[in-house]
């Protein structure tokens, strides 16, 4: 009898573990291809045992030589409709300032003798913050695809700097000329700090942006807490979240530092990842809500149903005395919405160059910055920019910061535009909360 009971227990454990493995494999198959993992040596500090059954993937870094790392590669359309491969890089000041740093891309097919090479172009991305004492910065490597015979299956990147050199190999990314579906929206974000322990705020943000029209969230995270990982796994299972642990290839306490955990590299990676799959990408933090008086209150309305290629939205802080950590109804135990309960903001709207965020057709963007686009890439002969940019008046659309700003001392004004989504938002948030935690 005991033997038979043991048999059934082992059978049940096998079924459960097989189901977990199948779900993890399904999640991996839904994730775009990335290169072989090399700099995944930091253990995730807060993931629970259940989380580790299907742990989130870590960002991958490949070391070329000392203080020069490549993360990801994506095909993109460059200037004059030239197809290029763009690589996301973190490198020291020497990488970006020494004239003897150079890279070459070699395209080839194994077991074949033919190959084609292209000289690469190394460029520092905006906002390196060297002036703040950082000695590492984000950049990119651009390589054109061969003009002829584009059927190569492999790619080798070789870089040199003085007596240093290194080579990494990739499978060729899939290049497509298919246009993304009209008025589709993705979101790029970073989750850490306050949101590691405020799960209700994370659910509210996702459900708010879904009502605004976002269908997929591409988030990076730093030391995400256990319960927050439960939220992210739920949305990954629903097919609307792709989460990656953002781990730098160097220790920031070792004398190397990069601005805001490498946010510029994260953002550029996400821009490339979404540019060919979605009509628009929304760039914002998790305490920032786009609020509009347009109807319907959606991102499609903010970009004027596609006539605007890029809308940069000015920002304002909400009431500095409000509570921004998770709060719950004492009777039902369900989350109270920040967007419905905090309805005052300062009456000082920042200029467009400060704290703005944007929603853009990323295939038109060449160099993004954290708060606005530095440079577009669609020009006609003669240098005329062929991108329709808009920056709506605050009375039409505003970016609301739902967090405390100690320096905000100006008088408050009523702000209900985010709250207009509350009736449906409340239903959606409470439905998810019941499935996760009740």
């Amino acid at each position: 009898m005991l033997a038979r009971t043991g048999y059934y227990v082992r059978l049940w454990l096998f079924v459960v573990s097989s189901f977990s493995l199948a779900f993890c494999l399904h999640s991996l198959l839904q994730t775009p291809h990335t290169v072989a993992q090399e700099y995944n040596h930091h253990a995730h500090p807060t993931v629970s045992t259940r989380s580790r059954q299907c742990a989130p993937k870590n960002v991958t870094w490949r070391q070329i030589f000392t203080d020069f790392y490549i993360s990801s590669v994506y095909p993109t359309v460059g200037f004059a409709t030239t197809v290029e491969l763009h690589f996301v890089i973190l490198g020291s000041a020497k990488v970006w300032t020494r004239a003897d740093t150079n890279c070459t891309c070699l395209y080839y097919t194994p077991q074949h003798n033919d190959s084609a090479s292209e000289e690469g172009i190394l460029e520092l991305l905006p906002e390196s913050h060297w002036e703040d004492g950082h000695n590492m910065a984000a950049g990119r490597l651009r390589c054109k695809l061969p003009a002829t015979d584009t059927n190569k299956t492999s790619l080798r990147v070789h870089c040199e700097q003085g007596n240093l050199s290194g080579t990494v190999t990739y499978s060729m990314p899939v290049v497509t000329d298919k246009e993304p579906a009209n008025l589709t929206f993705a979101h790029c974000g970073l989750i850490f700090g306050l949101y590691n322990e405020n799960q209700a705020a994370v659910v509210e943000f996702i459900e708010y942006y879904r009502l605004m029209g976002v269908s997929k969230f591409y988030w990076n995270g730093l030391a995400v807490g256990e319960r927050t990982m439960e939220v992210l796994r739920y949305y990954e299972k629903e097919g609307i979240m792709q989460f990656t642990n953002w781990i730098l290839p160097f220790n920031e306490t070792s004398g190397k530092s990069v601005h805001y955990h490498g946010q510029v590299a994260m953002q550029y990676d996400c821009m490339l990842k979404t540019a060919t799959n979605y009509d628009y990408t929304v760039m914002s933090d998790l305490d920032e809500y786009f609020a509009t008086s347009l109807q319907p209150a959606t991102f499609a309305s903010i970009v004027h149903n596609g006539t605007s290629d890029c809308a940069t939205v000015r920002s304002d802080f909400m009431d500095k005395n409000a509570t921004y950590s998770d709060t719950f109804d004492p009777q039902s135990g369900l989350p109270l919405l920040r967007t419905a309960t905090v309805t005052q903001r300062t009456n000082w709207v920042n200029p467009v160059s400060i704290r703005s965020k944007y929603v853009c057709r990323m295939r038109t963007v060449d160099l993004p910055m954290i708060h606005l686009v530095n440079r577009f890439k669609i020009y006609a002969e003669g240098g005329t920019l062929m991108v329709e940019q808009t920056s709506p008046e605050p009375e039409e659309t505003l970016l609301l910061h739902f967090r405390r700003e100690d320096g905000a001392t100006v008088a408050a004004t009523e702000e209900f535009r985010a709250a207009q989504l509350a009736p449906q938002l409340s239903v959606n948030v409470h439905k998810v909360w019941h499935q996760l935690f009740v």
Side-chain angles (χ1 to χ4, degrees):
M1 182 67 180
L2 289 175
R4 182 173 299 179
T5 302
Y7 167 77
Y8 285 120
V9 169
R10 290 193 299 273
L11 179 61
W12 169 248
L13 291 174
F14 172 77
V15 170
V16 171
S17 62
S18 298
F19 177 80
S20 299
L21 177 60
F23 172 71
C24 293
L25 289 174
H26 173 75
S27 300
L28 290 172
L29 290 172
Q30 300 303 310
T31 302
H33 171 75
T34 56
V35 296
Q37 186 168 302
E38 290 194 0
Y39 274 81
N40 286 346
H41 56 280
H42 295 49
H44 196 289
T46 56
V47 177
S48 65
T49 302
R50 181 165 55 170
S51 301
R52 285 194 295 268
Q53 292 177 0
C54 192
K57 69 184 182 72
N58 294 342
V59 66
T60 300
W61 293 100
R62 312 282 299 276
Q63 184 173 25
I64 303 294
F65 48 74
T66 303
D67 293 341
F68 186 8
Y69 308 91
I70 293 181
S71 171
S72 50
V73 53
Y74 300 94
T76 186
V77 176
F79 291 93
T81 68
T82 303
V83 179
E84 300 177 341
L85 296 183
H86 284 206
F87 301 79
V88 180
I89 292 174
L90 280 177
S92 68
K94 292 180 181 179
V95 170
W96 309 115
T97 57
R98 283 181 52 162
D100 61 346
T101 305
N102 61 83
C103 294
T104 302
C105 291
L106 179 71
Y107 304 91
Y108 67 101
T109 300
Q111 289 83 44
H112 289 212
N113 294 324
D114 62 321
S115 63
S117 64
E118 292 285 344
E119 190 73 20
I121 300 174
L122 279 168
E123 296 174 321
L124 184 67
L125 292 174
E127 299 180 300
S128 63
H129 289 265
W130 298 128
E131 69 277 8
D132 296 333
H134 296 294
N135 51 22
M136 301 288 289
R140 68 181 181 183
L141 168 65
R142 296 166 45 205
C143 283
K144 292 181 181 179
L145 287 180
T148 59
D149 187 12
T150 58
N151 296 320
K152 303 293 188 296
T153 62
S154 298
L155 165 67
R156 183 176 296 130
V157 179
H158 179 78
C159 300
E160 298 179 350
Q161 180 189 91
N163 62 352
L164 299 174
S165 65
T167 302
V168 293
T169 301
Y170 299 84
S171 297
M172 275 291 292
V174 177
V175 179
T176 177
D177 56 1
K178 183 180 179 181
E179 288 285 322
N182 190 44
L183 294 177
T184 50
F185 297 86
H187 178 264
C188 292
L190 167 64
I191 179 169
F192 76 112
L194 172 70
Y195 296 93
N196 282 341
E197 302 304 331
N198 286 270
Q199 299 79 39
V202 176
V203 174
E204 180 179 358
F205 181 94
I206 293 172
E207 294 301 329
Y208 182 96
Y209 272 60
R210 291 182 73 185
L211 288 175
M212 291 279 289
V214 171
S215 58
K216 187 86 172 191
F217 297 82
Y218 293 86
W219 286 6
N220 292 287
L222 303 172
V224 175
E226 292 181 15
R227 280 169 63 89
T228 302
M229 278 306 307
E230 291 291 327
V231 174
L232 300 181
R233 278 196 302 272
Y234 168 85
Y235 284 110
E236 283 191 314
K237 186 177 178 181
E238 293 296 307
I240 63 171
M241 170 69 68
Q242 181 177 307
F243 174 76
T244 304
N245 282 324
W246 183 258
I247 300 174
L248 294 172
F250 52 84
N251 192 328
E252 290 189 273
T253 63
S254 64
K256 299 176 185 178
S257 68
V258 63
H259 175 63
Y260 206 64
H261 311 292
Q263 182 182 15
V264 173
M266 288 185 227
Q267 185 167 283
Y268 193 67
D269 175 273
C270 195
M271 184 197 88
L272 295 174
K273 187 182 298 179
T274 58
T276 57
N277 296 314
Y278 299 88
D279 198 9
Y280 290 87
T281 301
V282 184
M283 295 288 189
S284 69
D285 296 334
L286 272 64
D287 56 6
E288 297 172 335
Y289 288 74
F290 289 77
T292 184
S293 59
L294 298 172
Q295 295 300 321
T298 61
F299 285 113
S301 295
I302 292 173
V303 298
H304 301 164
N305 292 315
T307 61
S308 170
D309 295 305
C310 186
T312 304
V313 178
R314 295 166 64 186
S315 72
D316 195 1
F317 284 95
M318 299 301 284
D319 183 4
K320 72 172 185 177
N321 296 315
T323 298
Y324 293 107
S325 57
D326 287 355
T327 57
F328 299 88
D329 182 270
Q331 301 300 320
S332 67
L334 293 172
L336 297 173
L337 302 182
R338 296 182 302 171
T339 49
T341 57
V342 183
T343 55
Q344 284 195 322
R345 62 174 172 86
T346 73
N347 59 11
W348 168 252
V349 177
N350 288 298
V352 72
S353 60
I354 299 176
R355 295 191 180 276
S356 296
K357 290 296 168 66
Y358 50 92
V359 48
C360 296
R361 285 186 167 117
M362 290 304 175
R363 57 192 181 278
T364 72
V365 174
D366 181 43
L367 290 174
M369 296 176 67
I370 293 173
H371 298 292
L372 57 123
V373 172
N374 177 274
R375 188 170 72 198
F376 293 91
K377 60 185 177 185
I378 309 298
Y379 290 84
E381 288 188 27
T384 303
L385 180 63
M386 301 295 289
V387 173
E388 183 64 32
Q389 302 178 73
T390 54
S391 182
E393 291 297 324
E395 292 76 19
E396 177 195 297
T397 304
L398 192 60
L399 184 74
L400 304 178
H401 283 254
F402 280 82
R403 70 175 174 87
R404 186 171 291 105
E405 175 64 15
D406 293 335
T409 58
V410 293
T413 186
E414 290 187 336
E415 176 58 70
F416 290 101
R417 282 176 288 185
Q420 68 181 310
L421 298 180
Q424 186 59 53
L425 180 60
S426 178
V427 171
N428 296 354
V429 168
H430 292 168
K431 178 181 176 181
V432 173
W433 198 260
H434 268 289
Q435 293 186 52
L436 284 170
F437 301 120
V438 177

